[in-house]
Amino acid sequence: MESSPSAIAPLLLRNLLTSLFFYADKPLVFLAEKHRLLQLLRCFLLSTFLFFLRLLPSLFPGLNSSVESYNYHFKTKRVDNYEPPLAGGGGGVGDSGVARALTQLLSIVNDIPVSSRKYEVVRSLAEKIIDENLLGGNETLREVNCAVLSAAFSRTLSQLEAAVVIQGRSHGGGTGGDVKDGAAEKSDYYYYKNRLSRFLSAVKYYGDVVWQYGKSRDWQSRSGSSAEKLAAEVLWLAQKMAACGCSEEAICKWASASNLAWLALSAELRLQGSLVKVSAFLIKQAKDMGKVIDDKNILEQQRQTKMKMLISWMPLLCRASNGTDAPVLSINERAELEKILEEIIETLEQEDEQERVLSLWLHHFTHCPSSDWPNLRGCYTRWLDASRSLLLLQ
């Protein structure tokens, strides 16, 4: 599809303004909860912005024609030239019949609701293909599993983040406010203030969120999928990747999902519980990263991944482990994960990294009175002793 600069410019303007407005509206939502006047101001600004968007096509007549032309082109291409999604690029293990079949099955698992009787049929068929690829010990078939599962994990993780955004908007921000107190709210205020100082650098991300938001609304209306369902599928995919020996890819992607981790703090309790289970499983897998590797560069990358995992998901572990009716994790699982967290923290070589993680843990652990896990007091005491000893040696 060919487009002139005069036709593309209005589209870019509208997308840019929408991204900026969504970013600026986020801290205003937080403040409007406390002040009635700000709530009225937000409603006025929202109405004015929507009116401006309706007025934009009359100022740029080419806008509607450009959008309609693009939609027609896109839909026609999808109908007339349908191609199943590939697990990878052209050639290699991703470009095979087995890979394409498994990719299609995993995509269908994302699309259909759990209540459908065909859901278990499709999912069991996907599991059968994955297990059969591992039975013979063939390295090529294992690589097919890894390539397809990695792509499916990325796709599901992206859909999950968009679904959490939709769920948060439809429920007025979720239930995260139940676990906040004055100190935490004050911390959130400074968080928003710091984020505003990086306004321009965040425009691209929120533009992507708006795009995912639009796609996911259409996808959810068709499939009936929920954020909780997607979280369960992320856990299932991570378990399959671990069985295939490629859990490190899932660990890296989950550790980098800092935006999802932040959104999860204000999500529904049932969804928070599902995300805690994913985090617990992947943290356990991260413990063994680097044990049989001598390359210093790879070891440094893995150490940074573990650091990102702790920074991103420690707040949710502290705030959401109690669940709705019963703890998300059993007593043995909680004890095991506490030990693993301490081991990972102590493997962080730089003292300031340990301090950063433990300070984050202490803040959320103490400001969530309904939870007493994870209790990393022993690790915190050992870090203090080591810091004190280092100071005395100077």
Side-chain angles (χ1 to χ4, degrees):
M1 180 180 65
E2 296 181 358
S3 301
S4 64
S6 60
I8 295 177
L11 286 172
L12 294 177
L13 177 60
R14 187 183 67 174
N15 291 339
L16 178 61
L17 291 176
T18 304
S19 302
L20 292 174
F21 182 81
F22 268 91
Y23 182 80
D25 181 58
K26 201 163 192 177
L28 194 57
V29 170
F30 172 74
L31 295 174
E33 293 177 356
K34 300 181 178 181
H35 305 286
R36 176 67 177 175
L37 182 60
L38 288 177
Q39 186 176 5
L40 295 175
L41 177 61
R42 177 177 174 267
C43 292
F44 172 75
L45 292 176
L46 181 60
S47 301
T48 304
F49 179 72
L50 293 176
F51 175 76
F52 176 75
L53 287 184
R54 293 289 300 272
L55 191 63
L56 198 59
S58 63
L59 299 177
F60 300 96
L63 183 60
N64 282 335
S65 60
S66 299
V67 173
E68 292 172 0
S69 175
Y70 173 79
N71 289 337
Y72 175 80
H73 173 82
F74 179 75
K75 292 176 181 177
T76 305
K77 182 178 179 181
R78 288 293 301 272
V79 172
D80 296 342
N81 302 294
Y82 171 75
E83 293 183 3
L86 297 179
V93 297
D95 190 17
S96 64
V98 176
R100 288 192 292 271
L102 185 55
T103 298
Q104 184 180 20
L105 286 169
L106 293 178
S107 179
I108 294 173
V109 168
N110 284 155
D111 288 343
I112 60 179
V114 179
S115 58
S116 171
R117 59 185 177 82
K118 298 180 181 179
Y119 179 82
E120 285 300 328
V121 175
V122 176
R123 179 160 160 168
S124 62
L125 183 56
E127 284 187 328
K128 181 181 178 182
I129 295 176
I130 294 171
D131 294 341
E132 288 178 349
N133 286 349
L134 292 176
L135 282 178
N138 186 286
E139 181 63 19
T140 301
L141 292 177
R142 189 192 70 84
E143 289 180 1
V144 167
N145 280 357
C146 291
V148 175
L149 288 170
S150 179
F153 188 90
S154 297
R155 180 179 63 251
T156 309
L157 187 58
S158 177
Q159 291 177 349
L160 173 59
E161 181 174 345
V164 173
V165 172
I166 295 172
Q167 188 181 83
R169 290 186 177 277
S170 62
H171 291 85
T175 59
D178 297 338
V179 298
K180 289 185 179 181
D181 60 6
E185 288 179 353
K186 184 177 180 181
S187 174
D188 287 341
Y189 168 76
Y190 287 110
Y191 173 81
Y192 284 123
K193 185 177 179 180
N194 291 332
R195 293 276 291 190
L196 284 174
S197 67
R198 299 179 300 182
F199 187 85
L200 292 177
S201 63
V203 168
K204 182 180 183 298
Y205 166 71
Y206 281 97
D208 294 340
V209 168
V210 172
W211 169 247
Q212 285 289 345
Y213 175 75
K215 289 200 302 180
S216 294
R217 287 191 67 178
D218 176 65
W219 155 74
Q220 278 196 317
S221 64
R222 289 184 290 105
S223 66
S225 297
S226 66
E228 190 177 348
K229 169 186 178 288
L230 290 169
E233 289 171 0
V234 166
L235 176 59
W236 174 67
L237 290 169
Q239 291 169 342
K240 291 301 178 183
M241 292 176 73
C244 296
C246 56
S247 61
E248 186 171 338
E249 293 186 41
I251 294 169
C252 293
K253 292 171 182 176
W254 191 252
S256 300
S258 57
N259 293 304
L260 174 60
W262 180 77
L263 291 168
L265 293 177
S266 59
E268 292 183 338
L269 292 178
R270 289 172 60 88
L271 175 57
Q272 286 182 337
S274 299
L275 296 176
V276 166
K277 291 179 181 179
V278 179
S279 300
F281 176 77
L282 290 175
I283 288 173
K284 291 177 184 179
Q285 298 297 315
K287 180 192 69 170
D288 298 324
M289 285 175 56
K291 285 191 173 181
V292 294
I293 297 177
D294 296 327
D295 191 312
K296 291 184 177 180
N297 292 329
I298 296 178
L299 288 174
E300 175 62 19
Q301 292 176 0
Q302 292 177 344
R303 185 187 63 79
Q304 293 178 4
T305 298
K306 293 178 182 179
M307 177 72 179
K308 288 194 294 184
M309 177 76 81
L310 295 175
I311 293 296
S312 295
W313 295 101
M314 182 69 77
L316 185 67
L317 293 180
C318 293
R319 292 181 176 272
S321 60
N322 280 344
T324 51
D325 302 322
V328 177
L329 305 175
S330 66
I331 295 177
N332 292 334
E333 288 174 331
R334 288 155 74 102
E336 180 188 6
L337 192 59
E338 272 186 1
K339 184 178 179 181
I340 291 173
L341 287 171
E342 290 184 347
E343 291 178 5
I344 293 177
I345 292 172
E346 290 175 354
T347 59
L348 300 176
E349 298 177 356
Q350 300 181 17
E351 183 184 359
D352 60 332
E353 291 182 344
Q354 294 185 10
E355 179 181 1
R356 184 182 174 191
V357 173
L358 290 170
S359 296
L360 181 69
W361 162 77
L362 185 63
H363 171 78
H364 289 278
F365 181 77
T366 54
H367 286 95
C368 186
S370 61
S371 175
D372 59 354
W373 184 87
N375 189 348
L376 305 179
R377 180 179 175 182
C379 183
Y380 188 81
T381 302
R382 288 192 293 273
W383 167 77
L384 282 176
D385 292 340
S387 180
R388 188 181 297 113
S389 300
L390 185 63
L391 180 61
L392 293 176
L393 291 175
Q394 292 178 352

